[in-house]
Amino acid sequence: MSAQDQKPSETSLQGRVFLERRNYRQRRLIDAARILPVVGVVLWFVPLVWPSADENGAISTSSASIYIFTIWIGLIVVGALVAWRMAPADESPNKPSGPMDESAFETRRRDRTG
Amino acid sequence: MNVLIVVSLGYVLALFTVAFMAERAARSGRIKWLRAPVVYTLSLSIYCTGWTFYGAVGFAVRSGLEFITIYLGPSLVMLGWWWTVRKLVRIGRTQRITSLADLISSRFGKSNLLAVGLTLLAVTGTTPYIALQLQSVTQSYAVFAEASQDGFNQTSQTTTALWVAIGLAMFTILFGTRKLDVNERHDGVVMAIAVEAVVKLIALMAVGIFVVWGLSGGIGPMLEKIGTSEIGMWNVSGGRWAGLTFLSAAAFICLPRMFHVMVVENDDERHLRMASWAFPAYLMLMSLFVLPIAVTGLDLLPTGSNPDMFVLTVPLSQGQNGLAMLSFLGGLSSATSMVIVASIALSTMVSNHIVMPIWLSFTGAGASMSGDVRYIVLLSRRLSIAAVVMLAYFYFVLSGGGSALAAIGLVSFVGVAQALPVMIGGIFWRGATRIGALSGLSIGFVIWIYALFLPSLGVGVVVSEAMMANGPFGLTWLAPHALFGVKGMDPILHCLLWSMLLNSFAFVVVSLCSFPAPLERLQGAQFVNVFDHARSAKEWSSGAAQSEDLMVMAQRILGAREAQSLFGIEAARQGAQGLLPEPTPEFLGVLERELSGSVGAATAHAMVGQIVGGASVSVDDLLAVADESAQMMEYSSKLEAQSTEQRRTAEQLRQVNEKLTQLSVQKDGFLSQISHELRTPMTSIRSFSEILRDSQDMADIDKARYAGIIHSETLRLTRLLDDLLDLSVLEAGRVSLNLSHKSLEDVIEGAISSAGLSDENPLLIRRTPAREDILLHTDVDRLAQVFINVISNAQKYCDADPRQLTIKAFQSKGLATVDFIDNGSKIDPDMRDVIFEKFSRVGETKAGGAGLGLAICREIMTRLGGDIVYLPGQDGTAFRVQFPIICGGQPV
Amino acid sequence: MSKHVLLIEDEPNIIEAVSFLLSRDGYNVSTHSNGHDALEVIEAKQPDLLILDVMLPGRSGFDILADLRGRETGEGIPVLMLTARGQTKDREMAQRIGATRFMTKPFSNAEIIETLNEMSLA
């Protein structure tokens, strides 16, 4: 990751700051997209430590479903936000490039030649 | 009862219409909305089959909230798209993967053995699952039949299943194998399953809303009702909770049908971004009302009712026949879409990895066979679909459609999940080898068959009761449900644990101990570093391959027009004249990937190999593989872009230089050519005129004969001068085009009558006038001049008996194309570039012309904004004339 | 005994004209019209005089002559070369590889007869 974070040396100062910030945002969004399923696994595996029906302090099915569905909705909303924020990164509609690593590199190269 | 049949048939008809309209829209280019991200998301919903539609409620009745794990796993996979699904889709697109088996075979050095193994695994795992869908349809049908007090016995159940199977097979064959698409996309099918996704969601939610607000009086009372029901308390074993979540996640990416819609049918990687959150949302909505329906069913219906049918029986018991009908359609949707996609995915595998290799080896050679292979591929796919569906039907009949089937859902999941270690290892770990993959898969497959699949058929069917209890030959540590002495575990978890552990273990250890073949290493680097390396592997060393043979083969698999355009684009990229590019390693790679879209990677590799003369990996390629550092790769790909640029400039300079030196040589050559062409007829004229002048006592008949020779030689001189003037005017670009409207048919008609075809040596002309019905706006006289030239060339040089010339016309993208193909011998490959040069003639016969005809034709076509080229890969000599239907009017 | 002339030329009209002229002047003429097997024909017919065109289909007249001069049987045959290209470098080339005489098309009838007569006397 650090190698890709290096500044492009040929661009003007203003352009560089702009690109830097945008690239930085994109990188953190990717981090969020990577972490999201881990968070999901951790939260959804909490029921593993719940006591079962015949033990003391057993949890009712309705509360359990409320817990699971709340996490579900939370994950969906965060996932939608991340996906939506990522979208502006690739402008060219016909290119099969969704991933940000590449398009960031593209932007840089275009900047240099242009 | 009759209403039900009418509604089902109407629904199926509506699906046919949707699929048909979608195909038509796709063909006319209105593809955008067909391939919207939302359609992609909805198509993923084939994960929710009839088993989940009806069975989730039954699952909830039996084990409470545990049912939800089946939805949690896929949600996690999609939310974590950045890790795995994105990479799978990218690999699928760059390598033109056609199926799960193709992916893994391609990754491990295009091994057909692996592909065959995975195909068998997929068929074994999926057939019972399709049978399960047939069962869910017939069962729901039976529920309605009971409600209306009609007789509905076992026989009519199997009959229903048979009709459903036949209908589904027909639909799939009709829309799934209409064409052999290199991208393996089926717009009609995808649209139909997207519609079905909406239907099943609406149906389940409608029943849910009715249950919560119509029967229970809102959310609060509903939650209370759940609390007091027999599944009111959390009672899920931790092992099953975690195990089933993992299992469903694994199955989600390994199920053949899921892989098909997720990777193969994917049209745009960016669709994943929407699917990443929208598909979990879909799953959440699908599971939202499962518990309320289960609890209400337990409450309202008599004990002993089949909980799997609560979705139908609850509305029926309340007299809500309309709602029940909707629910029935939802179940029908879930079942049919699963069967359709699963049978397409399986048939692709069976056809590409089993039928085609066998067929190719039986017919001897891939390259030199005759006929259109596309027909064979399509036929084998159609037969495979019918076979898969019928296999499932027989499975359904033999298993008696009883409760033995109900357990098969999870059993099937465990089976397909055996591909997970190899798949994940293959795309993330470069050290994974073919032998390792084979070992892991075989061990996983054997354990699954032995410890889960065979016992699931029922004790006593294949596995005896004694064997279940004490293991085979009294070896208790080998008892199917208690391997290595681990007793008392849930059978699913038990098999999942052992198969996954030993599968992964064998895969990793054998991979570590073995050494991959060069092609495996190349493919490994391609797959693992798919985001660093957009380009394909260089698999072929160039030179030995014959472009024309490749073209002949490509035409048979891709279709003539597609193949010609592929070769034409590559030729243009290389800057070569005509349609045949050099068989560079890059081009062979591209070609092989295009072919693999139709026949699978392993077969495509073998076919190209037959022509190129054996796979060979060059030292350079191996060096590239040995270059392990990712940074080096990124750096070099940057450099590569620059050095390609420089190489191209240098190449252009070199060409210009060469051209200039050639030009002075050409000028000399041109002058001496003209001299020759003028002096030759003059020699005869001078000689015979002197003879006539000097001999008084000559017979009249000789005099007339010599005067005739003089006359014809003068005509020849005049013609030559005309041609030279014509050419010089054309070359200087001073010619003004005389644009007018005329149909192509009339131009060709006129050209044929002016070409002076003689009766003594007839040339049969075959045309399709209907296809020539193109109104041109161009210089029709000049165009006719080109046609006349080509036709009279055929008249002069065609050496077949009987002789015929086929004229084929077609138009696309504003260009008209006319192919002239005769049945004589072909022009020598090394002569093909020369024939368009001035003063070049083919063959030794001096058939009158000065060899300027084709040079003039080429100049004319350039003026008209088109081109004339030699068309390789035909049965005889063939020329292709291509030009804009509406001429720009300016010299290009 | 009349001299035997072998004419190797691909233009049918020129063949007709030259054969007419030579037979009228008492030569015994045979003809051949391509370059491929010209050498074999020459060896088989062993003509007294050879007229050889430069631009022949299959093989150029220069090649044929060079080959012929390298063979024992062909060393002594007088050869008249004909060309229609009319370039001086053709003439030089013809001389270098051993043509006895060289003519550019078109030629007059008198010219070719005279030349042949001279060659057959020499």
Side-chain angles (χ1 to χ4, degrees):
Chain A
M1 204 78 289
S2 63
Q4 289 171 356
D5 274 347
Q6 276 170 5
K7 299 170 190 171
S9 50
E10 293 93 334
T11 44
S12 72
L13 189 69
Q14 206 183 355
R16 197 168 70 201
V17 171
F18 174 68
L19 279 176
E20 275 269 89
R21 186 164 288 173
R22 210 180 79 160
N23 280 351
Y24 184 85
R25 264 300 125 241
Q26 291 294 334
R27 295 262 147 68
R28 300 298 78 82
L29 279 172
I30 292 166
D31 291 349
R34 285 189 170 128
I35 284 175
L36 198 60
V38 181
V39 174
V41 168
V42 170
L43 290 179
W44 270 337
F45 278 12
V46 166
L48 291 179
V49 298
W50 286 348
S52 59
D54 40 3
E55 291 169 43
N56 278 342
I59 290 175
S60 76
T61 301
S62 29
S63 344
S65 17
I66 290 172
Y67 174 77
I68 288 164
F69 277 98
T70 311
I71 293 170
W72 212 331
I73 292 169
L75 290 172
I76 291 166
V77 169
V78 176
L81 278 176
V82 169
W84 175 67
R85 294 283 296 171
M86 266 181 189
D90 39 25
E91 293 114 5
S92 53
N94 287 329
K95 243 178 35 179
S97 84
M100 296 315 128
D101 298 45
E102 284 79 17
S103 49
F105 171 57
E106 277 295 312
T107 324
R108 226 151 60 197
R109 203 165 52 188
R110 222 181 297 141
D111 218 86
R112 193 186 303 156
T113 50
Chain B
M1 192 66 206
N2 288 331
V3 181
L4 191 66
I5 294 177
V6 171
V7 170
S8 318
L9 284 181
Y11 178 73
V12 170
L13 200 67
L15 274 190
F16 268 81
T17 317
V18 166
F20 181 71
M21 300 281 276
E23 292 254 303
R24 232 179 45 178
R27 250 178 297 138
S28 59
R30 280 174 291 141
I31 193 117
K32 207 168 171 195
W33 61 272
L34 281 177
R35 288 300 185 174
V38 64
V39 174
Y40 177 70
T41 308
L42 286 174
S43 73
L44 291 180
S45 77
I46 50 150
Y47 177 75
C48 305
T49 64
W51 176 56
T52 35
F53 188 87
Y54 293 120
V57 174
F59 202 153
V61 167
R62 283 184 280 267
S63 336
L65 260 179
E66 195 182 283
F67 83 91
I68 217 162
T69 52
I70 300 301
Y71 298 99
L72 295 187
S75 295
L76 286 171
V77 171
M78 281 317 285
L79 286 166
W81 63 294
W82 195 266
W83 290 104
T84 311
V85 179
R86 185 179 72 113
K87 194 161 195 178
L88 280 176
V89 168
R90 173 65 72 90
I91 292 172
R93 292 172 62 84
T94 52
Q95 302 286 324
R96 293 202 181 271
I97 297 299
T98 58
S99 65
L100 177 67
D102 195 29
L103 175 91
I104 289 172
S105 113
S106 181
R107 159 64 179 85
F108 294 101
K110 314 196 176 184
S111 147
N112 209 37
L113 182 62
L114 262 179
V116 170
L118 275 156
T119 305
L120 290 179
L121 174 70
V123 171
T124 330
T126 311
T127 311
Y129 209 111
I130 297 179
L132 185 60
Q133 307 305 314
L134 297 178
Q135 187 194 20
S136 79
V137 174
T138 46
Q139 233 175 37
S140 60
Y141 201 69
V143 165
F144 264 91
E146 269 166 38
S148 56
Q149 269 95 46
D150 279 4
F152 196 77
N153 51 25
Q154 188 62 33
T155 335
S156 40
Q157 277 218 24
T158 46
T159 322
T160 317
L162 182 62
W163 281 113
V164 172
I166 291 175
L168 286 174
M170 270 173 54
F171 181 91
T172 314
I173 288 171
L174 200 57
F175 291 100
T177 61
R178 167 168 290 212
K179 57 189 174 169
L180 190 62
D181 187 12
V182 282
N183 296 320
E184 205 55 58
R185 308 234 165 90
H186 308 91
D187 299 288
V189 171
V190 169
M191 205 60 200
I193 58 177
V195 170
E196 294 198 292
V198 176
V199 172
K200 61 193 178 199
L201 183 62
I202 290 177
L204 200 60
M205 289 190 72
V207 176
I209 288 168
F210 169 70
V211 161
V212 173
W213 281 277
L215 292 179
S216 307
I219 301 176
M222 189 70 237
L223 285 176
E224 265 171 45
K225 214 163 151 187
I226 293 176
T228 56
S229 72
E230 48 190 276
I231 49 170
M233 286 319 236
W234 172 263
N235 193 11
V236 178
S237 97
R240 271 182 70 95
W241 181 262
L244 293 186
T245 307
F246 168 78
L247 179 59
S248 64
F252 182 69
I253 47 176
C254 292
L255 280 169
R257 66 172 192 281
M258 288 317 299
F259 188 88
H260 188 83
V261 286
M262 191 159 59
V263 177
V264 182
E265 297 273 2
N266 177 289
D267 189 53
D268 189 333
E269 240 171 80
R270 287 170 306 164
H271 291 172
L272 276 180
R273 212 172 287 150
M274 183 183 197
S276 73
W277 59 269
F279 185 64
Y282 184 95
L283 291 179
M284 187 205 68
L285 292 176
M286 282 297 279
S287 46
L288 195 55
F289 293 106
V290 169
L291 266 187
I293 297 173
V295 170
T296 313
L298 283 174
D299 194 27
L300 291 179
L301 297 173
T303 31
S305 317
N306 180 2
D308 283 334
M309 286 292 132
F310 276 1
V311 183
L312 280 178
T313 45
V314 167
L316 275 178
S317 71
Q318 301 302 309
Q320 297 284 340
N321 285 336
L323 189 59
M325 185 68 77
L326 181 63
S327 158
F328 171 78
L329 285 185
L332 187 67
S333 287
S334 319
T336 51
S337 49
M338 182 272 166
V339 177
I340 290 167
V341 180
S343 57
I344 288 182
L346 285 184
S347 78
T348 308
M349 290 192 206
V350 171
S351 152
N352 281 356
H353 303 303
I354 297 180
V355 179
M356 285 310 286
I358 291 177
W359 187 81
L360 282 177
S361 71
F362 263 112
T363 49
S368 51
M369 68 204 148
S370 59
D372 198 332
V373 179
R374 285 187 301 166
Y375 174 71
I376 307 285
V377 176
L378 279 183
L379 186 69
S380 92
R381 294 228 177 141
R382 286 175 186 156
L383 292 177
S384 309
I385 288 176
V388 164
V389 178
M390 284 305 130
L391 198 62
Y393 169 73
F394 287 121
Y395 189 94
F396 167 76
V397 174
L398 289 178
S399 68
S403 57
L405 262 183
I408 207 75
L410 286 175
V411 173
S412 176
F413 273 24
V414 179
V416 293
Q418 298 309 319
L420 186 77
V422 172
M423 182 201 251
I424 298 296
I427 65 174
F428 286 106
W429 181 37
R430 284 180 58 183
T433 68
R434 190 179 74 97
I435 304 289
L438 271 174
S439 324
L441 274 174
S442 331
I443 288 185
F445 186 64
V446 167
I447 295 179
W448 172 66
I449 289 277
Y450 177 71
L452 195 58
F453 183 73
L454 293 182
S456 81
L457 297 175
V459 173
V461 176
V462 180
V463 187
S464 66
E465 203 167 334
M467 192 165 147
M468 284 304 288
N470 303 319
F473 319 113
L475 300 168
T476 36
W477 62 276
L478 273 181
H481 281 173
L483 288 176
F484 309 107
V486 179
K487 280 181 191 155
M489 239 176 129
D490 175 71
I492 297 275
L493 276 187
H494 169 264
C495 175
L496 182 68
L497 180 75
W498 282 122
S499 63
M500 278 293 146
L501 265 182
L502 295 179
N503 178 339
S504 314
F505 182 75
F507 172 51
V508 171
V509 170
V510 176
S511 287
L512 288 175
C513 298
S514 56
F515 195 81
L519 191 56
E520 278 177 72
R521 303 187 68 191
L522 275 173
Q523 289 294 94
Q526 290 280 309
F527 276 53
V528 175
N529 300 320
V530 66
F531 293 115
D532 308 326
H533 261 228
R535 294 177 316 109
S536 68
K538 297 182 191 123
E539 289 116 14
W540 301 106
S541 67
S542 64
Q546 290 296 311
S547 288
E548 185 161 11
D549 292 341
L550 288 171
M551 178 139 178
V552 169
M553 175 187 72
Q555 286 190 93
R556 285 184 186 137
I557 294 171
L558 304 173
R561 220 182 291 176
E562 285 79 0
Q564 282 163 15
S565 104
L566 176 71
F567 277 64
I569 289 167
E570 176 66 16
R573 202 185 62 74
Q574 292 181 359
Q577 286 281 355
L579 287 175
L580 279 186
E582 282 295 306
T584 58
E586 288 85 0
F587 176 58
L588 291 175
V590 171
L591 178 66
E592 192 186 310
R593 262 199 318 285
E594 291 288 335
L595 294 178
S596 73
S598 298
V599 293
T603 310
H605 191 70
M607 291 176 90
V608 174
Q610 270 179 334
I611 291 177
V612 181
S616 53
V617 179
S618 72
V619 178
D620 283 349
D621 297 333
L622 285 177
L623 279 178
V625 176
D627 187 5
E628 299 276 344
S629 156
Q631 278 170 333
M632 278 297 280
M633 279 190 174
E634 195 195 331
Y635 181 63
S636 69
S637 73
K638 274 188 239 171
L639 273 185
E640 203 169 307
Q642 289 174 347
S643 72
T644 312
E645 191 71 39
Q646 281 170 357
R647 241 195 348 260
R648 194 171 299 156
T649 316
E651 175 66 11
Q652 280 166 351
L653 278 174
R654 202 182 56 74
Q655 280 176 356
V656 168
N657 190 28
E658 211 167 72
K659 206 148 203 161
L660 283 174
T661 31
Q662 268 181 9
L663 216 60
S664 75
V665 177
Q666 268 174 11
K667 207 188 73 194
D668 286 355
F670 183 63
L671 282 177
S672 79
Q673 281 282 6
I674 290 192
S675 165
H676 180 262
E677 296 299 328
L678 289 172
R679 281 169 190 272
T680 302
M682 273 188 200
T683 310
S684 311
I685 293 173
R686 182 165 180 186
S687 219
F688 281 114
S689 57
E690 285 183 7
I691 290 170
L692 288 175
R693 184 192 63 196
D694 299 340
S695 3
Q696 278 78 29
D697 53 346
M698 192 180 273
D700 281 352
I701 187 164
D702 284 340
K703 273 188 195 164
R705 177 176 159 68
Y706 295 153
I709 291 176
I710 292 172
H711 179 72
S712 71
E713 292 285 18
T714 352
L715 289 183
R716 178 171 158 193
L717 272 176
T718 323
R719 226 172 25 237
L720 173 68
L721 287 173
D722 283 347
D723 280 357
L724 276 174
L725 284 176
D726 209 9
L727 193 60
S728 80
V729 169
L730 281 165
E731 277 186 336
R734 285 196 309 264
V735 69
S736 54
L737 294 180
N738 194 1
L739 300 183
S740 60
H741 288 285
K742 199 169 187 181
S743 85
L744 180 61
E745 187 182 353
D746 291 346
V747 179
I748 294 179
E749 195 73 56
I752 292 173
S753 61
S754 316
L757 301 181
S758 62
D759 291 335
E760 63 212 56
N761 198 358
L763 179 70
L764 175 69
I765 299 210
R766 304 195 337 173
R767 305 161 53 195
T768 317
R771 309 200 52 176
E772 295 167 4
D773 187 19
I774 304 168
L775 185 64
L776 306 173
H777 182 70
T778 187
D779 189 329
V780 291
D781 294 334
R782 285 294 190 182
L783 188 60
Q785 190 183 345
V786 173
F787 290 171
I788 292 171
N789 212 298
V790 176
I791 296 169
S792 54
N793 271 354
Q795 159 77 7
K796 280 177 212 157
Y797 299 116
C798 179
D799 53 3
D801 187 34
R803 314 182 323 147
Q804 64 183 35
L805 175 69
T806 311
I807 303 180
K808 281 190 209 163
F810 56 90
Q811 58 171 322
S812 73
K813 297 183 199 134
L815 284 180
T817 305
V818 188
D819 291 345
F820 296 85
I821 304 159
D822 72 24
N823 61 343
S825 45
K826 302 176 191 188
I827 293 180
D828 245 24
D830 28 324
M831 286 296 291
R832 286 173 193 169
D833 291 334
V834 187
I835 48 177
F836 292 103
E837 300 298 324
K838 291 179 276 252
F839 298 113
S840 66
R841 286 191 204 87
V842 175
E844 296 160 16
T845 48
K846 291 212 164 178
L852 290 173
L854 284 173
I856 292 177
C857 287
R858 171 161 277 184
E859 286 299 330
I860 292 177
M861 290 322 296
T862 311
R863 296 297 143 221
L864 297 181
D867 202 2
I868 173 170
V869 291
Y870 184 80
L871 186 62
Q874 305 298 324
D875 288 337
T877 294
F879 289 95
R880 162 164 291 181
V881 181
Q882 203 167 32
F883 52 94
I885 293 167
I886 311 290
C887 181
Q890 273 147 20
V892 182
Chain C
M1 164 97 194
S2 61
K3 295 264 184 180
H4 176 200
V5 181
L6 175 59
L7 168 63
I8 303 181
E9 161 70 62
D10 60 327
E11 270 289 323
N13 289 338
I14 298 182
I15 293 176
E16 183 162 1
V18 174
S19 339
F20 175 85
L21 290 170
L22 295 187
S23 0
R24 199 177 58 178
D25 221 60
Y27 288 94
N28 181 8
V29 187
S30 58
T31 62
H32 185 68
S33 62
N34 76 65
H36 285 304
D37 48 352
L39 265 182
E40 287 72 38
V41 174
I42 297 168
E43 298 230 306
K45 299 204 167 170
Q46 286 295 324
D48 302 313
L49 291 166
L50 179 63
I51 305 179
L52 185 59
D53 188 24
V54 173
M55 285 181 83
L56 287 170
R59 200 160 181 224
S60 101
F62 288 139
D63 281 358
I64 297 170
L65 180 61
D67 242 11
L68 184 70
R69 290 303 188 217
R71 295 184 182 203
E72 236 176 278
T73 47
E75 259 178 330
I77 304 178
V79 175
L80 166 62
M81 290 219 75
L82 301 178
T83 175
R85 284 201 298 223
Q87 286 183 327
T88 43
K89 68 174 185 200
D90 278 9
R91 179 180 294 270
E92 285 158 13
M93 169 71 110
Q95 259 169 4
R96 201 165 57 241
I97 59 176
T100 320
R101 299 296 283 266
F102 182 87
M103 269 167 87
T104 305
K105 295 174 186 175
F107 39 78
S108 80
N109 292 351
E111 206 178 341
I112 192 168
I113 298 284
E114 249 169 58
T115 311
L116 274 182
N117 287 342
E118 282 171 30
M119 283 167 67
S120 61
L121 288 177

